[in-house]
Amino acid sequence: MPISGKTRIVGLFGYPVEHTLSPYMQNAAFSHCGADYCYVPFSVHPDHLKNAVEAIRSLNLCGVNLTIPHKEACIPFLDQLDEEARVIGAVNTITTESGRLIGHNTDGRGFVMALREQGIAIEGSRALVIGAGGASRAVAYYLSRAASTLHIYNRTRKKAEELASVLSYAGGKADIIDDISSLPDYDLIVNATSLGLQDNDPLPLDPALLRPSQSVCDLIYRRTPLLQHATQKGCRTVDGLGMLLWQGAYSFELWTGIKPPVEVMRTALLTIVK
Ligand code: ATR
């Protein structure tokens, strides 16, 4: 789409932003829908985040996505948070309404849809989430409401405790476990730690414990060693690319009000990661 005087600008604030995949899928979606929008990554140093968020208003941007390390830090500069962003304590999407900046979090919804399209329903499931950082919080928000059991394990117990108490305050249910050297019969196991990002990382859990009836999800975008082991054990596996896709689809809808062309976005993502 040619950029005109009417083109609405959507941004991504991150630091670094060089490796982001979002511009490919968002611009493909705008173009497919004939929507006069353009998605631009901005490398925003943490010291400049407040100015950058204020610039959404002063530059009349349509909205932005936020990625590491800004998802939590942006909150004090916003006018309003939706329910998910408030409970999760992190914002991945900002929209503007009459000059007001509204924070949303579409990561958790994205996770649920990524599983659902693989035929995995979280409703009534027995689930384990490993990790209690930002990604885990978004996922656990939904699981704590829909699963029959949600266990959270984290290297630093205190963070798992904080997460469980926030979730229970918000009407969900989660229990902390201190040991994953043996596992009850979970339906769904989610790795929400950063283990697997680097090739020489240890595995987040012993793959010998996995059973073929289980679904294993890793929030990392590629097929991690955990997912490779899980496939060998006969488990269903889901990587983080589906969550990236669907969180982006929900953001697209928030900004444009248009039903997102998910398959166009998926093709754009798959083309770039191949
Ligand atoms: P994100 O936003 O991607 O969730 P984060 O908030 O930094 O990133 O959280 C990273 C998660 O990975 C945390 O749960 C972290 O555990 P701690 O709370 O104990 O730090 C987990 N993690 C990172 N490195 C780990 C390691 N070597 N072993 C176990 N857990 C690890």
Side-chain angles (χ1 to χ4, degrees):
M1 294 275 294
I3 294 190
S4 74
K6 293 182 188 158
T7 303
R8 303 298 321 274
I9 304 297
V10 185
L12 166 69
F13 293 172
Y15 194 82
V17 284
E18 283 75 11
H19 302 295
T20 177
L21 301 174
S22 293
Y24 300 101
M25 67 169 164
Q26 295 294 354
N27 286 321
F30 294 142
S31 176
H32 175 83
C33 296
D36 194 3
Y37 290 74
C38 181
Y39 188 98
V40 186
F42 295 101
S43 174
V44 175
H45 187 279
D47 291 350
H48 298 148
L49 179 62
K50 183 168 191 277
N51 286 342
V53 173
E54 280 166 3
I56 296 170
R57 250 191 294 259
S58 45
L59 297 176
N60 192 30
L61 303 185
C62 169
V64 296
N65 273 148
L66 296 121
T67 186
I68 292 170
H70 300 321
K71 287 187 177 186
E72 286 145 48
C74 70
I75 289 178
F77 313 130
L78 303 179
D79 298 308
Q80 195 181 319
L81 296 180
D82 74 5
E83 145 91 9
E84 283 162 80
R86 191 174 49 73
V87 175
I88 294 165
V91 164
N92 78 332
T93 307
I94 297 176
T95 57
T96 52
E97 281 174 32
S98 310
R100 288 168 55 76
L101 301 178
I102 323 285
H104 310 260
N105 194 309
T106 66
D107 287 331
R109 261 179 289 169
F111 164 78
V112 174
M113 276 308 294
L115 291 185
R116 193 170 291 161
E117 70 175 359
Q118 298 293 326
I120 302 166
I122 64 168
E123 290 75 18
S125 65
R126 294 156 295 172
L128 167 68
V129 172
I130 307 171
S136 165
R137 293 171 79 92
V139 161
Y141 172 82
Y142 276 92
L143 288 172
S144 72
R145 290 161 171 243
S148 65
T149 309
L150 170 60
H151 287 168
I152 300 173
Y153 171 80
N154 193 46
R155 175 179 64 176
T156 311
R157 188 181 209 277
K158 194 164 181 317
K159 274 169 71 179
E161 282 169 9
E162 284 164 9
L163 175 53
S165 90
V166 167
L167 294 173
S168 96
Y169 190 69
K173 190 176 172 313
D175 296 306
I176 299 155
I177 58 168
D178 289 314
D179 181 22
I180 50 170
S181 61
S182 70
L183 297 182
D185 193 10
Y186 296 113
D187 302 307
L188 173 65
I189 296 171
V190 182
N191 174 41
T193 74
S194 42
L195 292 174
L197 273 176
Q198 310 295 331
D199 286 336
N200 53 356
D201 280 343
L203 289 162
L205 94 171
D206 178 359
L209 300 171
L210 296 173
R211 298 165 205 180
S213 59
Q214 295 175 322
S215 299
V216 179
C217 175
D218 202 320
L219 303 188
I220 294 170
Y221 298 159
R222 64 195 180 91
R223 288 203 63 75
T224 55
L226 173 66
L227 292 185
Q228 292 169 26
H229 281 287
T231 302
Q232 280 167 15
K233 295 285 285 187
C235 304
R236 261 201 280 190
T237 60
V238 181
D239 67 28
L241 211 60
M243 178 169 164
L244 176 71
L245 166 69
W246 282 100
Q247 65 76 34
Y250 286 121
S251 297
F252 174 95
E253 191 164 11
L254 283 170
W255 295 318
T256 63
I258 300 170
K259 189 170 180 297
V262 175
E263 292 316 313
V264 170
M265 299 173 86
R266 191 193 313 273
T267 302
L269 268 185
L270 292 176
T271 306
I272 206 72
V273 294
K274 264 185 190 154

